[in-house]
Amino acid sequence: LTLGGAAVAGDAFWDGGTTANAVATGISGGAGDDRVQTSSGTITADTISDTHSVSVAVTGVGLAGAAAGSTSTARAIGIDGDAGNDSLVSNSAIVSNATSTAAGVSVSVALSGAAASGTFLDNETRAETFATGIAGGSDADSITTTAGSSIVLSSISRTADNAVAVSIAPPFSVS
């Protein structure tokens, strides 16, 4: 907020803004050579990641600029062998669900002057999801699913990015 001059508002938008990361793993072999064998039942990995970012700039006379962005990442892995030479055998059901939501709101107001809001430079709102049933990891891995096994994956991403710029008197408003 400023009475005259420039009012600029933003979050940490150089690296994707406000950031949230969520990871869920049903079974993790960890580093090293692993042998993982499931018998029956269900292995479930559910993860939800949400971010929200708001940026507001107000000036009496001059320039008002606002930029808000957020990045939300959700990763769900049923069985993860990780590093090493792994043997992964699934005789069961694997369910992997990843949900990610990201929202950014930018508002700028100039009573007399110019107002600009929205996505500037590397500022954006982004939702990413990754759902994996079985991941071998690095090195040489053996992955086997038997006739009695099943893998169900669900990956949902939602984004909302809103920008409002208001200039009461000339010269202009950009949104």
Side-chain angles (χ1 to χ4, degrees):
L1 173 64
T2 182
L3 295 177
V8 179
D11 59 5
F13 58 85
W14 292 108
D15 279 330
T18 304
T19 303
N21 294 304
V23 178
T25 303
I27 297 174
S28 177
D33 298 345
D34 304 305
R35 176 160 172 73
V36 176
Q37 183 167 349
T38 64
S39 54
S40 61
T42 302
I43 298 166
T44 303
D46 288 324
T47 185
I48 297 173
S49 176
D50 291 311
T51 58
H52 303 277
S53 179
V54 177
S55 181
V56 178
V58 179
T59 187
V61 177
L63 171 66
S70 65
T71 301
S72 178
T73 304
R75 295 179 190 276
I77 304 167
I79 301 173
D80 188 2
D82 208 352
N85 298 318
D86 305 312
S87 173
L88 310 173
V89 180
S90 175
N91 298 308
S92 58
I94 299 172
V95 178
S96 182
N97 301 308
T99 302
S100 177
T101 303
V105 177
S106 305
V107 178
S108 64
V109 177
L111 298 179
S112 177
S117 289
T119 304
F120 304 130
L121 305 172
D122 189 26
N123 185 27
E124 61 188 1
T125 298
R126 178 175 47 229
E128 304 170 327
T129 57
F130 304 91
T132 305
I134 303 174
S138 59
D139 299 316
D141 301 308
S142 169
I143 299 174
T144 304
T145 56
T146 63
S149 67
S150 65
I151 299 175
V152 177
L153 307 174
S154 171
S155 178
I156 300 169
S157 296
R158 295 181 192 99
T159 61
D161 203 5
N162 298 294
V164 177
V166 178
S167 180
I168 306 301
F172 60 87
S173 175
V174 178
S175 166

